[in-house]
């Protein structure tokens, strides 16, 4: 459906997203139009394609899906158009003088014979040329928008493309549409591939093959956390993606490396044949930078000091006893440039952090605490009594330039002698590289985490690679210290990690198992547990209960559980959305790192909402969702940005990393193959603070405990650490 008319009033416009609300006058009536639009002015004549929608608060609206610009045809409309702000120095009086002189031919005069504008009193040659230039610039932009919309590019992205390429947009896109996937956020390979198909580009074009290879590498990172791929694996993935001949891919790889489009590294693994790895430049550069900076910090230690007496004072002051492994960990951390502290739940990692902080403060050393996510930082603050920030916040993320820039970096390091990073297994190579650049020479970096938990969702395997390199001091804690009487959570977490079945006593106070066989029974039991049974038993609201599931799509997977729980817990909330139906009051999670999304927290403002941030929908106004996150940040989402949100009544185990919930319900969905493994079950159980309930069959539980298979994650950090250390040794020999 289409409507045509003039813009009366621009009620709202987001410069960030292009989302706009306008009063629009058609021939018959005035209507409200909403949607993403290029920059428009009051008085402009437009044609919108879209559909009528009904907003529960604002009534009937026209939701625009595309826009085209229409030249005004009657004198009064031309006056409004000229005086609407697009033409510099043309107010209503000048516009009326121009129209009085040229009538309905005004637009033709401006476009084809602008010198004739000097015939109007008060308009000289320079002013006439300025008006013509404004019209030409505006017309070019409009034509580009029409060209891009003709290739199914949404207005929001079309605006980004035009801002990047300007008047060259049509030429660049026509020549190589795959540049869009590499240079424009929001346009991936598949969208560029569709544009290329519309433009008639050959399927075996080298532009397409090269973009497909880059996409195969990027997809491997998004889906499996790989930062690099072996040559045969990359060829296999690219062939599946592009449906082309493998020899063409193999032949193109060296040329792409030579042109600097991707990186290559040859790994020498002992007596085995050297193996080629290929990686996106951003990944290979990040891992090289991490290796160089880590080894520099490792080598930056001074004379070792014995801190045994200081530890004794800490024990007497706090009434805490550290075992020999914990004392050694504190000693190692305070005498190393870089150290790792790893252990399962209840093994005293937090106690060690407290001791390190107290001893460092006594020596006059400044300390900073951080974690990859807001939830993990909040937990660290509560556990230590000291302020902990997310790594992004500690580094001072700034998006004002349109790209992530950190206030603290190699040129302006953090003011800290000791930096502690908890839940380090969650960090990807990008944020860890940024962190290392900001740590000053001579500072001590202490990495804390559980090596047996799942690695980060994003590319990289930081903790495993650092430990595996053998170049950094590692303190591994195994003795359980934190364990309440009658508690089974910590005991069973360690039993699972050791390959033993958990102890199941439903008369325990915090570890329960409910036998259900079919996915339908599992789903029904989970809903009952969350809505009535657990709130009644533990005297907590459902919001204190988090459901976890190993699988996303199954009859009792994350998606099905979310829909069932939404209907049970929030059936009457105001609705919004196609696809995922969001309701006022819904619990939601942000699922990607969005460095540009604006937020506010009281008088504080900033940008950046990240994968795993959880909050609640607090308002739905004019198609915009407002979400308040658990740390108090408030962000607004337009129609396009809502794709970054998912319901979070249930989340995957991977998405729960770094979080701790009072009560956890785990749906042990049958199926899943190798995904249902010990590593995943251990991570899920360790998310619970007060109680955990497993729902499924003992056979599924046993299969997970017995399954030690973990998908190999291809990274190059360990190789780069060895290479860097070897070079340093040669230089110092």
């Amino acid at each position: 459906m289409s409507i045509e008319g003039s813009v009366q009033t621009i009620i709202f416009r987001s410069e960030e997203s292009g989302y706009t609300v306008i009063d629009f006058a058609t021939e018959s009536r005035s209507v409200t139009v909403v949607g993403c639009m290029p920059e428009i002015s009051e008085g402009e004549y437009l044609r919108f394609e879209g559909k009528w929608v009904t907003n529960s608060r604002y009534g009937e609206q026209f939701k625009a899906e595309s826009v085209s610009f229409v030249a005004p045809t009657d004198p009064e409309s031309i006056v409004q158009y000229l005086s609407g702000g697009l033409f510099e120095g043309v107010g209503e009086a000048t516009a009326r003088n121009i129209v009085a002189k040229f009538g309905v031919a005004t637009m033709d005069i401006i476009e084809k014979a602008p010198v004739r504008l000097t015939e109007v009193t008060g308009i000289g040659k320079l002013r006439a040329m300025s008006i013509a230039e404004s019209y030409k610039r505006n017309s070019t932009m409009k034509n580009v928008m029409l060209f891009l919309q003709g290739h199914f590019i949404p207005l929001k992205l079309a605006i980004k493309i035009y801002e990047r390429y300007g008047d060259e947009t049509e030429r660049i896109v026509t020549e190589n549409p795959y540049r869009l996937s590499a240079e424009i956020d929001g346009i991936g390979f598949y969208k560029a591939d569709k544009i290329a198909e519309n433009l008639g580009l050959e399927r075996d074009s080298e532009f397409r093959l090269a973009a497909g290879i880059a996409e195969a590498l990027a997809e491997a990172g998004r889906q499996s956390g790989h930062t690099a791929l072996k040559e045969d694996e990359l060829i296999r993935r690219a062939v599946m993606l592009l449906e082309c001949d493998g020899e063409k891919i193999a032949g193109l790889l060296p040329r792409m490396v030579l042109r600097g489009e991707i990186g290559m590294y040859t790994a020498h693994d002992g007596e085995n044949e050297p193996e080629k790895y290929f990686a996106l430049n951003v990944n290979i550069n990040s891992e090289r930078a991490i290796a160089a900076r880590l080894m520099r910090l490792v080598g930056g230690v001074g004379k070792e000091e014995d801190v045994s007496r200081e530890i004794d004072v800490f024990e007497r002051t706090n009434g805490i006893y550290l075992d020999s492994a914990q004392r050694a960990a504190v000693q190692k951390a305070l005498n190393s440039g870089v150290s790792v502290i790893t252990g399962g739940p209840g093994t005293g990692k937090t106690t060690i952090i407290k001791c390190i902080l107290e001893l460092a403060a006594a020596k006059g050393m400044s300390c900073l605490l951080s974690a990859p996510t807001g939830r993990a930082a909040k937990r660290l603050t509560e556990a230590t009594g000291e302020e902990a920030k997310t790594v992004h916040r500690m580094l001072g993320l700034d998006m004002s330039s349109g790209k992530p820039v950190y206030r603290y970096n190699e040129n302006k390091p953090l003011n800290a002698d000791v930096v502690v990073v908890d839940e380090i297994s969650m960090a990807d190579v990008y944020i860890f590289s940024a962190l290392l650049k900001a740590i000053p020479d001579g500072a001590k970096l202490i990495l804390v985490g559980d090596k047996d938990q799942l690695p980060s969702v994003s590319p990289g395997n930081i903790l495993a690679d650092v430990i595996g390199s053998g170049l950094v001091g590692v303190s591994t804690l195994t003795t359980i210290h934190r364990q309440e009487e009658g508690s089974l959570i910590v005991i069973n977490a360690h039993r699972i990690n050791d390959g033993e079945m958990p102890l199941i006593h439903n008369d325990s106070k915090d570890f329960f198992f409910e036998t259900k066989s079919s996915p339908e029974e599992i789903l029904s039991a989970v809903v009952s547990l969350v809505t009535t049974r657990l709130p009644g038993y533990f005297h907590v609201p459902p919001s204190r209960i988090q459901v976890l599931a190993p699988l996303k799509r199954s009859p009792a997977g994350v998606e099905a559980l979310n829909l069932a729980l939404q209907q049970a817990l929030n059936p009457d909330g105001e609705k919004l959305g196609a696809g995922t139906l969001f309701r006022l009051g819904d619990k939601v999670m942000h699922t990607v790192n969005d460095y540009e999304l604006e937020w506010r927290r009281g008088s504080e403002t900033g940008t950046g909402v990240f994968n795993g941030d959880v909050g609640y929908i607090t308002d739905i106004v004019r198609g915009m969702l407002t979400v308040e996150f658990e740390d108090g940040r408030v962000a607004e989402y337009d129609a396009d940005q809502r794709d970054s949100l998912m319901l979070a009544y249930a989340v995957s185990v991977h998405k729960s990393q770094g979080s701790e919930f009072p009560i956890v319900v785990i749906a042990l969905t049958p199926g899943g193959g190798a995904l249902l493994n010990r590593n995943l079950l251990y991570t899920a159980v360790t998310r619970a603070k007060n109680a955990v309930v497993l729902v499924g069959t003992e056979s599924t539980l046993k299969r997970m405990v017995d399954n030690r298979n973990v998908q190999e994650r291809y990274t190059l950090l360990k190789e780069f650490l060895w290479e860097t250390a070897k070079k340093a040794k040669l230089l110092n020999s």
Side-chain angles (χ1 to χ4, degrees):
M1 173 175 283
S2 66
I3 59 173
E4 188 174 313
S6 63
V7 179
Q8 298 299 295
T9 307
I10 298 174
I11 299 171
F12 170 81
R13 177 172 174 79
S14 167
E15 294 302 325
E16 180 69 27
S17 65
Y19 183 82
T20 308
V21 180
I22 63 172
D23 275 337
F24 190 67
T26 67
E27 189 174 312
S28 58
R29 61 179 175 136
S30 182
V31 300
T32 300
V33 179
V34 300
C36 288
M37 306 176 195
E39 188 172 343
I40 59 173
S41 297
E42 293 175 1
E44 279 199 282
Y45 259 64
L46 307 172
R47 180 184 297 112
F48 289 109
E49 299 285 339
K51 60 184 178 183
W52 293 101
V53 296
T54 301
N55 183 287
S56 59
R57 186 174 300 185
Y58 295 100
E60 188 179 51
Q61 298 176 332
F62 191 83
K63 184 178 179 182
E65 295 170 354
S66 69
V67 59
S68 55
F69 299 85
V70 182
T73 54
D74 63 273
E76 188 58 33
S77 298
I78 295 172
V79 169
Q80 290 183 31
Y81 178 56
L82 291 178
S83 58
L86 286 174
F87 298 87
E88 188 176 345
V90 177
E92 184 177 352
T94 301
R96 290 196 179 281
N97 289 339
I98 294 172
V99 174
K101 177 68 177 178
F102 300 113
V104 294
T106 296
M107 303 315 299
D108 280 340
I109 295 294
I110 293 174
E111 180 181 4
K112 298 172 183 176
V115 72
R116 288 198 58 195
L117 292 174
T118 58
E119 298 174 18
V120 178
T121 303
I123 297 181
K125 190 173 182 180
L126 287 177
R127 194 176 182 191
M129 291 303 104
S130 175
I131 294 171
E133 184 59 34
S134 296
Y135 178 80
K136 181 181 178 183
R137 185 169 57 249
N138 193 41
S139 296
T140 300
M141 184 269 289
K142 291 173 180 177
N143 290 333
V144 169
M145 291 295 168
L146 290 174
F147 165 76
L148 294 173
Q149 285 183 47
H151 293 290
F152 310 103
I153 297 175
L155 276 171
K156 182 180 176 181
L157 290 177
I159 293 166
K160 275 189 175 183
I161 295 169
Y162 183 75
E163 286 175 349
R164 175 66 184 264
Y165 302 130
D167 295 350
E168 292 289 293
T169 299
E170 189 167 346
R171 181 191 64 78
I172 289 170
V173 173
T174 302
E175 183 179 280
N176 178 14
Y178 295 99
R179 279 185 63 176
L180 298 175
S181 62
E183 299 173 358
I184 305 294
D185 288 339
I187 296 188
F189 170 80
Y190 297 100
K191 191 165 286 184
D193 204 32
K194 182 66 177 175
I195 296 168
E197 184 181 352
N198 292 336
L199 290 167
L201 206 68
E202 294 293 329
R203 300 284 289 173
D204 61 352
S205 157
E206 188 163 312
F207 288 138
R208 181 173 187 269
L209 299 185
I213 289 169
E215 173 61 21
L217 289 168
E219 202 169 70
R222 291 194 301 268
Q223 294 179 351
S224 306
H226 302 304
T227 60
L229 288 176
K230 294 179 180 179
E231 183 174 22
D232 57 351
E233 176 65 9
L234 174 55
I235 292 172
R236 184 188 69 80
R237 287 172 175 260
V239 166
M240 288 181 61
L241 175 68
L242 296 165
E243 298 178 339
C244 67
D245 183 76
E247 290 184 5
K248 290 184 177 180
I249 301 297
L252 183 54
L253 289 174
R255 297 202 296 275
M256 291 183 69
V257 172
L258 192 62
R259 295 195 297 252
E261 296 169 12
I262 57 174
M264 186 192 77
Y265 182 80
T266 303
H268 299 271
D269 185 13
E271 297 179 358
N272 296 329
E273 287 291 320
E275 197 143 26
K276 289 181 182 177
Y277 285 83
F278 292 88
L280 295 174
N281 288 322
V282 65
N283 290 348
I284 209 165
N285 292 339
S286 295
E287 290 192 308
R288 280 193 184 279
I290 289 169
R293 189 64 189 146
L294 264 183
M295 295 316 298
R296 185 169 175 178
L297 289 170
V298 166
V301 293
K303 183 180 178 181
E304 184 168 342
E305 297 181 47
D306 184 357
V307 294
S308 298
R309 291 184 179 180
E310 288 88 342
I311 295 175
D312 293 340
V313 173
F314 171 80
E315 289 179 328
R316 289 195 299 271
T317 304
N318 293 278
I320 296 173
Y321 171 75
L322 274 64
D323 65 23
S324 58
Q326 291 175 307
R327 292 177 73 95
V330 174
Q331 177 82 20
K332 187 176 291 183
L334 289 173
N335 284 287
S336 304
V338 181
S339 59
V340 172
I341 300 170
T342 183
T347 56
K349 297 190 295 295
T350 303
T351 300
I352 291 174
I353 294 174
K354 287 180 180 178
C355 184
I356 290 169
L357 293 176
E358 195 166 309
L359 268 60
K363 291 176 177 289
M365 303 168 76
S366 59
C367 302
L368 289 175
L369 294 178
S370 66
T373 67
R375 276 178 172 265
K378 184 179 179 182
R379 283 179 59 198
L380 188 58
T381 298
E382 293 169 350
T384 63
E386 301 291 336
E387 183 185 17
K389 298 179 180 179
T390 64
V391 180
H392 289 98
R393 190 178 177 198
M394 182 175 72
L395 296 180
L397 174 67
D398 180 8
M399 282 297 307
S400 59
S401 66
K403 294 182 179 180
V405 175
Y406 295 100
R407 186 178 306 118
Y408 295 100
N409 50 47
E410 58 267 51
N411 298 317
K412 185 182 179 182
L414 293 162
N415 181 22
D417 301 306
V418 178
V419 177
V420 179
V421 186
D422 197 14
E423 296 288 359
I424 188 60
S425 61
M426 296 179 62
D428 61 34
V429 293
Y430 314 125
I431 191 61
F432 193 55
S433 176
L435 170 66
L436 290 178
K437 289 176 183 177
I439 295 179
D441 289 343
K444 302 181 187 303
L445 174 63
I446 301 167
L447 307 176
V448 184
D450 186 342
K451 64 180 178 60
D452 295 313
Q453 285 190 23
L454 295 170
S456 64
V457 176
S458 301
N461 203 5
I462 300 297
L463 182 58
D465 286 344
V466 170
I467 292 174
S469 73
L471 297 169
V472 172
V474 178
S475 300
T476 303
L477 309 176
T478 56
T479 303
I480 300 174
H481 295 276
R482 175 177 57 81
Q483 181 185 334
E484 296 180 24
E485 185 179 351
S487 170
L488 284 180
I489 292 179
V490 173
I491 290 175
N492 281 338
H494 285 271
R495 287 180 65 87
I496 290 166
N497 201 35
D498 292 336
E500 300 176 19
M501 282 287 284
L503 301 174
I504 299 172
H505 304 306
N506 278 353
D507 58 351
S508 76
K509 68 176 186 179
D510 64 359
F511 196 97
F512 309 94
F513 188 91
E514 179 152 331
T515 302
K516 296 295 177 185
S517 300
S518 70
E520 292 74 22
E521 289 177 321
I522 292 172
L523 186 143
S524 178
V526 169
V527 172
S528 175
L529 284 163
V530 173
T531 56
T532 57
R533 293 165 58 194
L534 291 176
Y537 185 78
F538 287 104
H539 306 291
V540 297
S543 61
R544 303 276 288 171
I545 303 168
Q546 183 62 56
V547 176
L548 305 180
L551 305 177
K552 184 177 180 180
R553 295 182 180 91
S554 82
V558 171
E559 293 179 351
L561 285 164
N562 266 320
L563 291 176
L565 289 165
Q566 182 195 46
Q567 186 58 34
L569 294 169
N570 190 25
D572 301 320
E574 182 179 352
K575 301 175 183 179
L576 177 69
T580 299
L581 185 68
F582 293 111
R583 294 173 176 168
L584 190 64
D586 273 340
K587 182 180 183 180
V588 293
M589 175 182 281
H590 191 91
T591 60
V592 296
N593 287 338
D594 187 338
Y595 295 95
E596 299 181 26
L597 187 60
E598 297 176 352
W599 54 262
R600 63 183 186 277
R601 179 168 44 205
S603 60
E604 182 186 6
T605 61
T607 57
V609 179
F610 304 104
N611 189 0
D613 288 350
V614 173
Y616 288 85
I617 297 175
T618 58
D619 205 1
I620 299 177
V621 179
R622 296 185 180 275
M624 300 286 286
L625 288 181
T626 300
V627 176
E628 182 172 349
F629 293 99
E630 293 176 329
D631 62 0
R633 289 173 302 149
V634 176
E636 293 183 342
Y637 293 76
D638 62 26
D640 292 329
Q641 292 165 323
R642 288 201 298 269
D643 289 342
S644 300
L645 292 174
M646 63 168 280
L647 295 173
Y649 300 103
V651 300
S652 69
V653 179
H654 279 87
K655 291 287 187 185
S656 73
Q657 286 174 264
S659 300
E660 185 178 70
F661 309 100
I663 301 172
V664 169
V665 177
I666 305 171
L668 298 182
T669 312
L675 289 174
L676 298 188
N677 57 43
R678 184 188 305 174
N679 195 215
L680 186 140
L681 178 62
Y682 171 76
T683 301
V685 169
T686 55
R687 299 308 90 208
K689 182 178 182 181
N690 303 124
V692 61
V693 183
L694 284 73
V695 183
T697 64
E698 284 199 36
S699 61
T700 300
L701 179 61
K702 187 174 190 312
R703 181 157 65 90
M704 294 183 76
V705 171
D706 291 342
N707 182 9
R708 297 186 61 186
N709 295 325
V710 178
Q711 183 184 24
E712 183 178 3
R713 184 168 284 204
Y714 297 122
T715 63
L716 292 173
L717 177 56
K718 192 162 56 175
E719 294 281 343
F720 293 154
L721 284 166
W722 288 335
E723 182 184 81
T724 305
K726 185 177 180 180
K727 288 179 180 177
K729 187 176 181 180
L730 288 172
L731 286 171
N732 296 325
S733 60

